[in-house]
Amino acid sequence: SCAVCLIEGSRPIIAEVQALVTPTAYPAPRRMTDGIDYNRMCLLLAVLEKRLGLKFSACDVYLNVVGGLRINEPAADAAVALALCSSIRDIPVPPELIAFGEVGLSGEMRAVSNANGRAAEAARIGFTSVAMPVSKSQRGKLTLPGMTTVPMAGVYDLLLLLSKAAKQNEK
């Protein structure tokens, strides 16, 4: 699972996205979503499979937003993709991490509106690390006390983040 900060009107809301990816025994894998648009999930699966070589086509995929929330914002793409990669690789996302950002078709991470407000709300709640798209001109400008920014340029950075988490879990 991975936490995400959404904006409803002018209010930031923290949600949790859960993913379960498991090998299928059938020729057509099952896809199921609750709280996230089914077609958006299929698009993200296609991007992750094409750009990262992860074999979602041989797996059943179940995606859920905790608490019955409905997410209609592309800013949740990074959290959804991170939860999916975490599940297929069987590496948990660090619980202190929150992620947001839009994933493009070529695998790039796109900035979302009110990134500083989202990160500030996450810090207020107790998250200590935020994974978000950050351009070269923005690096170092987001400084919140006790908050570490993990810049993401593309979906490749999701796997780097997970490999660092795996190394931390080994220690």
Side-chain angles (χ1 to χ4, degrees):
S1 67
C2 184
V4 61
C5 187
L6 308 166
I7 302 292
E8 289 289 330
S10 62
R11 174 175 288 169
I13 297 174
I14 305 294
E16 182 182 356
V17 177
Q18 296 176 327
L20 176 64
V21 179
T22 183
T24 188
Y26 302 104
R30 182 170 173 143
R31 307 280 189 245
M32 194 175 97
T33 65
D34 188 17
I36 292 181
D37 181 55
Y38 175 82
N39 293 319
R40 190 71 186 175
M41 179 197 63
C42 290
L43 180 137
L44 289 171
L45 289 172
V47 169
L48 293 173
E49 186 154 340
K50 174 74 173 178
R51 304 297 171 205
L52 299 179
L54 300 173
K55 296 298 179 195
F56 289 104
S57 58
C59 297
D60 293 332
V61 177
Y62 303 93
L63 201 57
N64 179 48
V65 179
V66 176
L69 288 173
R70 299 250 357 122
I71 296 177
N72 297 319
E73 190 178 6
D77 288 357
V80 171
L82 191 54
L84 289 167
C85 290
S86 166
S87 184
I88 199 167
R89 287 282 176 97
D90 204 21
I91 302 170
V93 175
E96 68 276 359
L97 176 82
I98 190 164
F100 54 83
E102 182 178 357
V103 175
L105 291 179
S106 63
E108 81 279 8
M109 287 287 181
R110 295 177 176 232
V112 296
S113 64
N114 198 9
N116 290 341
R118 293 172 198 260
E121 178 67 12
R124 187 183 71 76
I125 290 180
F127 289 94
T128 58
S129 188
V130 58
M132 59 187 264
V134 178
S135 67
K136 289 181 183 177
S137 63
Q138 290 176 317
R139 290 182 194 255
K141 291 185 180 177
L142 179 66
T143 54
L144 295 169
M147 181 68 88
T148 303
T149 303
V150 179
M152 294 189 300
V155 291
Y156 305 102
D157 294 323
L158 298 174
L159 292 182
L160 291 174
L161 196 150
L162 286 176
S163 66
K164 287 179 185 176
K167 288 178 185 174
Q168 290 293 332
N169 290 340
E170 290 174 1
K171 291 181 181 179

